[in-house]
Amino acid sequence: MYIQSELSFLCRLVALKSAKRHHDWLEQQGVTLSSEQAITIAAVADKGELRQGDLMGLPYLASEKSKVSRVVQGLVMEGYIDRRDDIHDRRSKILTLSEKGQMMADMMSQAESNNKLILSSLLSSEEMSSLQKALEKIVRAM
């Protein structure tokens, strides 16, 4: 049990430090987004267009429908996301990035690239590959 809690702690620490560095870089660029807003923009950027209801299945995003609705509404009001009715299901909303949202997604991608550069300066490509393979094995085993 000890190794499990230590590994869990270490992974969480790395994730928190990485997210903080990511957030700090964006803040230096004059961008202030909540983690939920950033996750939503990244998810829509990744898919091109996404149903609002699909956001509830994303890791690290609130699973409450009302919370997801508030996050999306805020992004729509700030001009990052365009929302339209799904022509096949009137209850469903389709989300796409606006031009402003695409610029934000590009900035977030740059912040991620900065994090990757830092990691690559700390670990060789062989070490990174070994670490990734080891973590994937652990995930499959748990």
Side-chain angles (χ1 to χ4, degrees), residues 91 113 126 129:
R91 297 170 297 165
S113 293
E126 294 83 20
S129 178

Side-chain angles (χ1 to χ4, degrees), residues 31-83:
V31 174
T32 53
L33 289 176
S34 71
S35 58
E36 290 92 355
Q37 289 174 317
I39 290 167
T40 301
I41 289 171
V44 175
D46 183 49
K47 300 290 185 189
E49 71 176 31
L50 189 66
R51 283 190 172 78
Q52 185 169 326
D54 293 342
L55 291 172
M56 292 182 55
L58 295 178
Y60 310 113
L61 195 61
S63 59
E64 300 167 10
K65 189 175 183 179
S66 61
K67 174 70 173 180
V68 170
S69 293
R70 282 193 300 273
V71 169
V72 169
Q73 181 62 26
L75 290 170
V76 168
M77 290 175 61
E78 292 179 35
Y80 291 111
I81 287 184
D82 295 323
R83 180 175 48 191

Side-chain angles (χ1 to χ4, degrees), residues 37-134:
Q37 289 174 317
I39 290 167
T40 301
I41 289 171
V44 175
D46 183 49
K47 300 290 185 189
E49 71 176 31
L50 189 66
R51 283 190 172 78
Q52 185 169 326
D54 293 342
L55 291 172
M56 292 182 55
L58 295 178
Y60 310 113
L61 195 61
S63 59
E64 300 167 10
K65 189 175 183 179
S66 61
K67 174 70 173 180
V68 170
S69 293
R70 282 193 300 273
V71 169
V72 169
Q73 181 62 26
L75 290 170
V76 168
M77 290 175 61
E78 292 179 35
Y80 291 111
I81 287 184
D82 295 323
R83 180 175 48 191
R84 70 178 192 279
D85 291 333
D86 183 344
I87 59 172
H88 303 291
D89 181 0
R90 292 184 312 191
R91 297 170 297 165
S92 187
K93 305 293 183 195
I94 303 291
L95 308 175
T96 56
L97 292 180
S98 65
E99 187 175 323
K100 181 179 178 181
Q102 185 59 56
M103 288 175 21
M104 180 58 61
D106 293 343
M107 287 181 76
M108 290 169 46
S109 179
Q110 179 61 47
E112 182 64 26
S113 293
N114 292 344
N115 273 346
K116 285 181 182 177
L117 281 174
I118 290 169
L119 283 176
S120 67
S121 72
L122 297 172
L123 300 171
S124 70
S125 60
E126 294 83 20
E127 290 171 321
M128 283 294 290
S129 178
S130 294
L131 178 60
Q132 183 174 355
K133 287 177 185 175

